[in-house]
Amino acid sequence: MPEKIPQKIKSLRKKTEKIEKEAWLLIEDAKTLEELDKVRVGFLGRNGTLTQLLKTIPQLALKYRPEAGRLANALKRKLEENLREKIDALHKEKEEKGLEIDITMPGCAQELGSTHPISQTMAEISRIFKNLGFKVVDGPEVETEYHNFTALNIPEGHPSRETFHTFYLDDGTLLRSQTSPVQIRVMQKEKPPLRIIAPGKVYRPDATDASHSFMFHQVEGLAVDKKINLADLKGALTVFVREMFGKKTKMRFRPHFFPFTEPSAEVDISCIICGGSGCRVCSFKGWLEILGAGIVDPNVFKAVKYDPESWSGYAFGMGVERIAMLKYGITDIRMFFENDVRFLRQF
Ligand code: DAH
């Protein structure tokens, strides 16, 4: 005869079955970890349904307690297991969805940068000369002595070849001290006629101060054609000066010497601050030097195997920082390289 199940245990079993069913449904329904935790507290918290039930066991007659304890603890283990499984499932779901994204949160705007004033100035110089039929070309910043000096008619022993004017590398190459070697590279590759400008970085071992930097930018220009003369050079530079600094700007050529041009000149513009009457920017001269230029020396043509009897040309070279400083009224070259956004944002 199986032992009769006492009423007390029967009703306890009913209660645990009811709790189990309820809990199972609520756990199934929980959509978030927060909801699930509420379910847990509802059953297993200090005042939870199951906790309350466990508390009644000590009040049962001694003989019922073991069975009652077994039932209630089995339920407790079951609920804890179900909760654990659901927690894992919710975590996994969250991971699969990626981080939970609250689409109502305000976004973090990415500030747009702006083109560096030196790049802007080089682009403007390039634009002007492109309109005059010049092609924009590039050359290496690590150069040979031949391209940077020899082919440009700069003799051995010339001061610009000294180590305090040029950065030499261990293998006999150097960091170009001017963009003029691009003239040589282009002429070695291409047949005349040609018109090119070459913007880029140059390097010189100068101590840094308000007007010197060991690295700065130049734009080189070269035109080679039949019967090119000084008037062609003046014409092109006049267009450049007017476009860059305004129609009223005057220009003058001052005789000078460069090894790669003959004759050579330094080119000045009327002071864009005072208009020529004299001020601190132009040291009360009324004029500002902006570039070097001249008629290509026959020796340069010989170096690239162009016949100087059939071809002639002009060349010029300007410092981009100097042009930008004059155009924007900047008094310290270091501003360009310090990456201070309060400065850069103004362009
Ligand atoms: N390369 C010269 C310098 O760095 C600038 C220059 C002067 C370039 C005269 C030229 C030129 O092409 O004809 O000072």
Side-chain angles (χ1 to χ4, degrees), residues 177-180 183 204 218 220-221 258 260-261 292-294 315-317:
S177 57
Q178 48 184 359
T179 43
S180 307
Q183 290 187 29
R204 290 181 194 178
Q218 286 187 335
E220 189 76 14
F258 294 106
F260 29 89
T261 42
F316 57 86

Side-chain angles (χ1 to χ4, degrees), residues 62-78:
L62 200 58
K63 55 178 177 171
Y64 300 136
R65 287 185 207 163
E67 178 60 5
R70 202 186 51 77
L71 277 171
N73 279 318
L75 175 59
K76 193 177 173 196
R77 274 196 303 277
K78 182 106 191 137

Side-chain angles (χ1 to χ4, degrees), residues 2-275:
E3 205 187 322
K4 206 170 157 239
I5 300 165
Q7 196 51 42
K8 288 262 188 240
I9 296 296
K10 260 194 191 161
S11 93
L12 189 73
R13 193 173 276 169
K14 258 205 191 114
K15 275 187 198 152
T16 55
E17 274 166 11
K18 190 168 162 257
I19 291 173
E20 188 180 340
K21 239 186 237 155
E22 256 176 45
W24 188 78
L25 285 173
L26 288 171
I27 290 171
E28 275 293 284
D29 271 0
K31 299 261 180 318
T32 63
L33 289 166
E34 291 75 18
E35 270 178 49
L36 192 64
D37 200 55
K38 280 196 190 121
V39 177
R40 181 189 64 78
V41 174
F43 290 99
L44 298 168
R46 201 134 45 94
N47 295 312
T49 332
L50 181 55
T51 315
Q52 294 302 327
L53 187 75
L54 281 162
K55 276 186 192 157
T56 61
I57 293 175
Q59 290 149 26
L60 291 175
L62 200 58
K63 55 178 177 171
Y64 300 136
R65 287 185 207 163
E67 178 60 5
R70 202 186 51 77
L71 277 171
N73 279 318
L75 175 59
K76 193 177 173 196
R77 274 196 303 277
K78 182 106 191 137
L79 285 195
E80 281 169 350
E81 191 184 316
N82 286 352
L83 283 164
R84 184 77 256 151
E85 273 170 15
K86 184 72 181 196
I87 287 171
D88 289 347
L90 287 175
H91 272 304
K92 206 165 158 204
E93 203 179 293
K94 207 166 165 178
E95 261 166 39
E96 275 163 11
K97 263 199 267 169
L99 283 176
E100 275 201 350
I101 296 165
D102 178 356
I103 56 161
T104 65
M105 287 244 296
C108 358
Q110 275 289 335
E111 261 187 78
L112 215 57
S114 58
T115 311
H116 193 281
I118 291 302
S119 303
Q120 281 186 38
T121 308
M122 286 205 287
E124 175 67 359
I125 297 168
S126 301
R127 185 192 66 76
I128 296 166
F129 283 104
K130 272 197 270 187
N131 286 345
L132 292 172
F134 285 72
K135 184 171 74 169
V136 181
V137 299
D138 226 358
E141 286 170 29
V142 175
E143 262 299 3
T144 64
E145 266 191 76
Y146 180 76
H147 289 89
N148 199 80
F149 297 120
T150 313
L152 286 163
N153 199 34
I154 301 172
E156 295 283 337
H158 189 277
S160 67
R161 287 184 175 237
E162 302 281 344
T163 49
F164 49 86
H165 287 309
T166 300
F167 283 116
Y168 287 89
L169 303 171
D170 287 341
D171 61 355
T173 57
L174 50 82
L175 297 183
R176 69 178 179 192
S177 57
Q178 48 184 359
T179 43
S180 307
V182 186
Q183 290 187 29
I184 304 300
R185 292 197 172 267
V186 170
M187 289 192 283
Q188 282 175 332
K189 262 203 334 243
E190 289 177 31
K191 285 190 172 31
L194 53 86
R195 280 174 174 69
I196 58 104
I197 57 159
K201 290 185 171 65
V202 300
Y203 303 83
R204 290 181 194 178
D206 289 332
T208 303
D209 63 24
S211 52
H212 293 87
S213 164
F214 58 87
M215 184 281 301
F216 57 101
H217 299 76
Q218 286 187 335
V219 175
E220 189 76 14
L222 172 71
V224 182
D225 212 325
K226 302 270 183 201
K227 299 197 170 68
I228 281 206
N229 59 35
L230 266 179
D232 298 311
L233 171 61
K234 276 197 161 177
L237 291 180
T238 301
V239 171
F240 165 70
V241 162
R242 288 190 184 157
E243 291 254 330
M244 198 70 191
F245 297 103
K247 291 225 166 1
K248 292 214 178 92
T249 317
K250 291 197 238 4
M251 182 181 78
R252 73 172 185 189
F253 275 41
R254 233 180 333 102
H256 198 77
F257 174 79
F258 294 106
F260 29 89
T261 42
E262 180 61 32
S264 305
E266 273 190 338
V267 178
D268 299 339
I269 55 168
S270 52
C271 178
I272 52 172
I273 305 298
C274 64

